[in-house]
Amino acid sequence: NAGVTQTPKFRVLKTGQSMTLLCAQDMNHEYMYWYRQDPGMGLRLIHYSVGEGTTAKGEVPDGYNVSRLKKQNFLLGLESAAPSQTSVYFCASSYEGTGSQPQHFGDGTRLSIL
Amino acid sequence: GQNIDQPTEMTATEGAIVQINCTYQTSGFNGLFWYQQHAGEAPTFLSYNVLDGLEEKGRFSSFLSRSKGYSYLLLKELQMKDSASYLCAGLDSNYQLIWGAGTKLIIKP
């Protein structure tokens, strides 16, 4: 009963380093999302995907790239980490994106950029 | 612009009832979601409203008024485990979720 699994759970990076966050879902969902959550703010959408091989920009895409080579996986890359990217990153998936289908979230990745 | 407003923090007593309000302004409207998020954990789905009125699910109910751009989440018979943040999110015309900053609910014995 895994649902949405994110790895790693915690990471500390130095400014300028790169890394990839992995999200995997086993619910056969078409839609997948990457959000960041910062204190005092709502979840902000970074990128999303409406199916295998597709990606689209969300509200705050700058400094991030994504790929969805397989339906079950959605990768988020930080090309050159900056302290402003210190945040909690959540991946979510949903069966479809129009209407009542809720998004299911992973446990988050806590990322600190020094 | 698009905006979701909800109180930052509320306090209530175990066994009581609490109402968490949310007002929304979105470009188009395709429904409103409520999620619960315990500290350090993932948000989990509570309810979805797209039509006006009250939806009841056990101890939790959610209300929507589309004409007023207003929703509330009603929690009855509060338990200590209900201490969490409650996130309101509106689904806009592009089917993007616009999230509020969340209401931290503190339950006192």
Side-chain angles (χ1 to χ4, degrees):
Chain A
N1 225 18
V4 179
T5 303
Q6 290 184 234
T7 52
K9 295 192 187 305
F10 303 92
R11 186 73 184 266
V12 178
L13 289 179
K14 294 181 180 178
T15 298
Q17 287 184 317
S18 63
M19 79 162 294
T20 301
L21 281 66
L22 174 64
C23 177
Q25 54 95 2
D26 62 1
M27 296 175 283
N28 202 34
H29 285 169
E30 289 293 335
Y31 286 63
M32 296 187 75
Y33 313 82
W34 276 106
Y35 291 95
R36 60 179 290 173
Q37 188 175 41
D38 300 294
M41 303 181 71
L43 288 160
R44 290 185 291 168
L45 184 64
I46 304 170
H47 287 279
Y48 65 100
S49 168
V50 302
E52 181 178 314
T54 75
T55 63
K57 294 180 180 180
E59 180 188 356
V60 289
D62 293 342
Y64 306 95
N65 56 72
V66 287
S67 64
R68 184 124 181 248
L69 299 179
K70 293 183 179 181
K71 185 176 183 179
Q72 64 267 36
N73 295 337
F74 195 29
L75 277 61
L76 177 72
L78 281 70
E79 299 150 348
S80 178
S84 61
Q85 294 178 305
T86 293
S87 188
V88 181
Y89 291 86
F90 285 102
C91 175
S93 71
S94 62
Y95 181 69
E96 48 96 50
T98 59
S100 65
Q101 294 298 315
Q103 295 181 14
H104 299 261
F105 285 80
D107 288 337
T109 296
R110 283 143 187 84
L111 184 60
S112 293
I113 316 294
L114 304 179
Chain B
Q2 305 196 93
N3 196 50
I4 304 283
D5 282 321
Q6 50 183 132
T8 302
E9 187 173 296
M10 299 181 71
T11 303
T13 304
E14 190 177 15
I17 300 173
V18 71
Q19 178 176 310
I20 302 173
N21 297 325
C22 169
T23 57
Y24 65 87
Q25 288 179 300
T26 57
S27 301
F29 180 74
N30 283 298
L32 191 119
F33 289 85
W34 283 96
Y35 281 76
Q36 181 190 58
Q37 185 177 24
H38 284 102
E41 297 184 8
T44 56
F45 169 73
L46 287 176
S47 67
Y48 170 75
N49 295 68
V50 67
L51 300 177
D52 289 350
L54 188 68
E55 298 264 351
E56 297 188 67
K57 270 189 191 180
R59 294 190 300 114
F60 291 13
S61 302
S62 55
F63 172 83
L64 177 68
S65 169
R66 289 174 298 171
S67 63
K68 294 182 179 179
Y70 168 68
S71 173
Y72 68 72
L73 182 68
L74 191 71
L75 291 73
K76 302 176 185 176
E77 301 170 13
L78 286 169
Q79 301 175 10
M80 297 304 292
K81 68 179 182 179
D82 297 331
S83 292
S85 288
Y86 292 85
L87 314 181
C88 175
L91 196 61
D92 72 9
S93 58
N94 294 319
Y95 296 98
Q96 299 284 324
L97 275 176
I98 309 302
W99 295 83
T103 298
K104 182 178 181 181
L105 178 63
I106 300 168
I107 311 296
K108 295 186 174 179

